[in-house]
């Protein structure tokens, strides 16, 4: 049980260090969903103590990560008036999808969004840097960053057909995990399967 607690706290520390606020939310929801069947059907004082210790550990991690989140907010405030870079990258991916409904090709995003292969798409990033007052002559646009949104990457690289195939895979995996968790709901394996379902939902969202 201590190993489980260490794994949970370690994962939460990683999430805080990446400053992914959405990941923090889904991590907490997944943890609650995974522990809920044990609390409801196999309650005991030992389990209650574990849940309280886990909650206290997560609270300490959240307090520790508060400064990093504040730093991120402050950095965003300094860039007031400049478009959010993540939105710029999403717009770049949307432009690729408009031009190539079947995609630019698997693993070709980083090639097409940079110079010299994709001047039209590199311009999104060049315009963003210009809005920030950067000296474009001193910057290298041959290795531009990609969008952080996995779904935009899939759409840009494989098009609508690729997105349909990926969505079908996600739906099937969720249905299978949910069905298995329900069939084993009165067994310890049910808690594990419910945790797997929660993990899948967290990853997909």
């Amino acid at each position: 049980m201590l190993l489980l607690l260490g794994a949970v706290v370690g994962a939460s520390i990683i999430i805080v260090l990446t400053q992914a606020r959405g990941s923090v939310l889904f991590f907490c929801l997944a943890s609650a969903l995974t522990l809920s069947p044990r609390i409801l059907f196999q309650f005991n004082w030992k389990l209650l103590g574990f849940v309280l210790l886990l909650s206290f550990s997560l609270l300490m991690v959240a307090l520790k990560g508060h400064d990093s989140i504040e730093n991120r907010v402050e950095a965003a405030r300094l860039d007031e008036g400049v478009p959010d870079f993540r939105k710029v990258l999403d717009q770049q991916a949307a432009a690729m999808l408009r031009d190539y409904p079947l995609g630019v090709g698997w693993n070709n995003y980083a090639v097409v969004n940079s110079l010299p292969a994709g001047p039209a798409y590199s311009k999104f990033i060049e315009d963003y840097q210009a809005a920030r007052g950067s000296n474009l002559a001193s910057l290298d646009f041959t290795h531009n960053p990609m969008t952080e949104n996995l779904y935009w990457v899939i759409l840009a690289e494989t098009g609508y057909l690729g997105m349909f195939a990926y969505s079908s895979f996600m739906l099937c995996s969720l249905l299978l995990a949910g069905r298995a968790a329900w069939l084993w709901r009165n067994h310890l394996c049910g808690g594990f399967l419910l945790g797997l379902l929660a993990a899948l939902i967290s990853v997909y969202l």
Side-chain angles (χ1 to χ4, degrees), residues 93 96-109 112 121 152-163:
M96 289 185 193
L97 181 63
R98 285 195 301 269
D99 296 339
Y100 301 95
L102 295 180
V104 298
W106 185 260
N107 208 30
N108 281 337
Y109 190 108
V112 177
Y121 308 119
W152 271 122
V153 174
I154 293 173
L155 280 168
E157 291 190 342
T158 62
Y160 292 107
L161 288 178
M163 191 68 234

Side-chain angles (χ1 to χ4, degrees), residues 15-82:
I15 290 173
V16 169
L17 290 177
T18 60
Q19 302 180 17
R21 289 162 289 179
S23 299
V24 174
L25 172 62
F26 285 112
F27 178 78
C28 294
L29 290 176
S31 298
L33 185 58
T34 304
L35 288 170
S36 59
R38 291 292 305 274
I39 296 173
L40 292 175
F41 301 114
Q42 300 177 9
F43 178 82
N44 57 62
W45 291 108
K46 186 177 180 181
L47 178 61
L48 177 61
F50 172 74
V51 171
L52 292 176
L53 183 59
L54 174 62
S55 301
F56 176 76
S57 301
L58 291 176
L59 177 61
M60 292 299 100
V61 171
L63 292 175
K64 180 64 177 176
H66 184 260
D67 291 340
S68 63
I69 295 176
E70 277 193 342
N71 291 337
R72 183 167 182 170
V73 172
E74 178 64 16
R77 187 187 65 79
L78 295 175
D79 273 343
E80 258 182 56
V82 178

Side-chain angles (χ1 to χ4, degrees), residues 111-151:
V111 177
V112 177
N113 83 327
S114 304
L115 296 177
Y121 308 119
S122 178
K123 194 173 186 306
F124 283 90
I125 298 177
E126 294 170 25
D127 290 344
Y128 170 81
Q129 294 292 359
R132 299 184 68 199
S134 302
N135 180 10
L136 298 185
S138 65
L139 298 177
D140 181 12
F141 295 101
T142 60
H143 298 86
N144 287 332
M146 297 171 54
T147 175
E148 297 177 0
N149 190 313
L150 172 64
Y151 299 109

